Amino acid sequence: MEDEKYQSLLENVKFLNVQMSRFESMIEIENAEMILMQNIGEFVGADCAQLIIFQDGTFVPRCHWMKNENVVYRNYEESYTIQDEDTWVEELQKGKVYYLQGISDWVNYGNMISSQLKDFSCEDLYVLPLCHENLLDGVVCLYNPDENRLHSFMDVQELFSHWLANRIAKKDNRMKKIMSGLGRDYTAAFMINLDTDYFEVLNNQKSNNAARERKQYDWNDYLRNYADKYCIESSIEPMKKELCTETVRERLKSEEEYHFTFETVPNSIGQKTFQAHIAKEYGPKGNYVVIGFRCVDQIVEREREYQKSLDEAYREAR
């Protein structure tokens, strides 16, 4: 029975490695992550298995599988912080497996626990590194695993690490391609499936108000929440209308792209006027759209100054 579980896990990782080159959207890749977490959790007999990615110097939670519910949850926190992070990264890159005595020990290292797991009952927690070419790409956290099965899982760590490295590279390349099409001044970008409302974050600078929001399951929820919290009163309803999936779908039937300008409360660096660029996305299968956001405070200010000079010239001419 143990051999069968091991072979099943091994075959799934191999299969998803092969499939990676065929995935056309991050949604497919995220689904693969969730399948792997369930496979790994079941194989090692854990109560919970979580995937955390290490990218651009931060730990970003992806998803976790819960044994008691037999459900995989996506994690939507922006990133984790950790005390003595440089030492952790250095040791994990050397292949060190961290053992922690439950959730409280994990929390003591910093904000390295999903809000969905803070009340989870756990006595033994293992943090296993996923490295490729001596670089840390992420970790798998196993809550209350069967220690006798951990050794067998370590045999497929390298294969899983290779899959994760491919996944990160694929997302990076795809994001760079989309962002290059939008332009350097776009500080946030999202891809939305207009058929399901599911969306993924392509880019979101930490200075943005949107970076403070936990991502909701669908775009329309996220949009309403953002507009209510951060838009000034005159922009709330127009934003909800212009960027909801129903309006976007209808407008893109006759247009390739369109723009919408709105005003928010100032973000952490004082920006408050933004323009959304809504455009069709032809890459993934399905009905997709990319919405990019950029600050247009300087453009608006120049237009106001220009209008002011025109008004003054008109008055002088009279």
Side-chain angles (χ1 to χ4, degrees):
M1 186 65 179
E2 297 303 316
D3 288 341
E4 289 179 6
K5 286 184 178 180
Y6 175 74
Q7 286 302 320
S8 175
L9 173 62
L10 189 62
E11 291 304 316
N12 268 328
V13 177
K14 286 181 177 178
F15 173 74
L16 291 170
N17 258 329
V18 173
Q19 289 293 106
M20 176 62 71
S21 62
R22 303 171 187 170
F23 290 152
E24 296 187 8
S25 76
M26 283 307 299
I27 295 172
E28 293 175 297
I29 296 174
E30 288 181 358
N31 289 337
E33 290 173 350
M34 296 169 75
I35 292 170
L36 285 172
M37 281 303 98
Q38 180 171 356
N39 288 170
I40 290 169
E42 290 177 343
F43 173 70
V44 300
D47 291 331
C48 175
Q50 184 180 30
L51 174 64
I52 301 173
I53 289 175
F54 182 71
Q55 193 171 12
D56 299 327
T58 58
F59 288 94
V60 181
R62 295 299 309 161
C63 61
H64 66 272
W65 168 80
M66 303 287 288
K67 177 182 178 181
N68 62 341
E69 301 175 37
N70 197 27
V71 173
V72 185
Y73 294 96
R74 289 186 177 92
N75 298 142
Y76 295 134
E77 283 85 355
E78 181 70 14
S79 63
Y80 286 159
T81 54
I82 184 171
Q83 295 178 21
D84 202 14
E85 184 172 296
D86 290 343
T87 301
W88 265 71
V89 173
E90 182 180 344
E91 292 299 318
L92 288 167
Q93 285 182 160
K94 292 177 182 177
K96 178 176 179 177
V97 175
Y98 277 89
Y99 168 74
L100 303 169
Q101 294 180 322
I103 298 293
S104 58
D105 201 7
W106 196 212
V107 173
N108 287 339
Y109 281 97
N111 183 29
M112 278 287 283
I113 184 70
S114 168
S115 60
Q116 297 161 291
L117 294 173
K118 283 186 176 178
D119 297 325
F120 185 69
S121 177
C122 175
E123 296 179 359
D124 301 301
L125 196 160
Y126 290 83
V127 183
L128 294 85
L130 298 171
C131 301
H132 184 66
E133 296 181 350
N134 298 318
L135 294 175
L136 180 68
D137 288 323
V139 297
V140 170
C141 302
L142 300 174
Y143 298 71
N144 298 332
D146 182 338
E147 295 181 11
N148 295 323
R149 298 185 193 174
L150 282 178
H151 180 74
S152 296
F153 169 68
M154 292 176 188
D155 292 341
V156 298
Q157 262 184 282
E158 184 176 352
L159 190 58
F160 184 60
S161 297
H162 181 69
W163 181 89
L164 183 58
N166 285 340
R167 170 239 186 271
I168 291 173
K170 192 173 184 74
K171 181 174 183 180
D172 280 350
N173 292 336
R174 187 160 153 275
M175 187 187 79
K176 287 175 183 177
K177 182 179 179 180
I178 292 173
M179 294 306 294
S180 66
L182 287 173
R184 292 182 179 180
D185 53 346
Y186 282 82
T187 61
F190 306 86
M191 180 177 285
I192 301 107
N193 184 329
L194 296 177
D195 298 322
T196 65
D197 280 357
Y198 179 84
F199 76 101
E200 59 183 276
V201 180
L202 300 174
N203 184 43
N204 198 356
Q205 290 186 5
K206 291 185 177 180
S207 60
N208 295 330
N209 284 327
R212 294 155 57 187
E213 287 298 299
R214 277 189 60 191
K215 192 175 84 171
Q216 304 298 313
Y217 183 74
D218 64 62
W219 171 253
N220 288 326
D221 277 350
Y222 180 85
L223 176 65
R224 286 190 292 266
N225 194 47
Y226 177 90
D228 287 338
K229 278 192 174 183
Y230 301 113
C231 284
I232 64 171
E233 187 173 353
S234 60
S235 289
I236 293 176
E237 294 307 319
M239 185 178 189
K240 290 179 182 179
K241 179 182 178 182
E242 290 299 321
L243 299 186
C244 73
T245 53
E246 182 178 358
T247 299
V248 171
R249 189 186 299 109
E250 285 301 312
R251 290 200 60 168
L252 293 184
K253 285 180 180 179
S254 57
E255 305 172 69
E256 286 294 311
E257 60 182 359
Y258 68 96
H259 296 82
F260 169 70
T261 302
F262 60 97
E263 191 170 343
T264 70
V265 297
N267 63 17
S268 62
I269 57 176
Q271 298 171 330
K272 60 182 182 179
T273 311
F274 294 87
Q275 184 181 74
H277 180 183
I278 303 93
K280 292 179 180 179
E281 169 59 30
Y282 292 98
K285 297 175 182 178
N287 193 14
Y288 287 84
V289 64
V290 170
I291 300 182
F293 295 87
R294 64 171 180 157
C295 175
V296 291
D297 282 338
Q298 291 183 342
I299 296 174
V300 171
E301 185 59 31
R302 284 199 299 268
E303 290 177 349
R304 287 173 179 166
E305 290 297 323
Y306 179 67
Q307 186 61 48
K308 182 180 178 181
S309 65
L310 285 179
D311 292 342
E312 289 176 353
Y314 178 73
R315 285 195 297 270
E316 290 175 0
R318 294 182 65 185

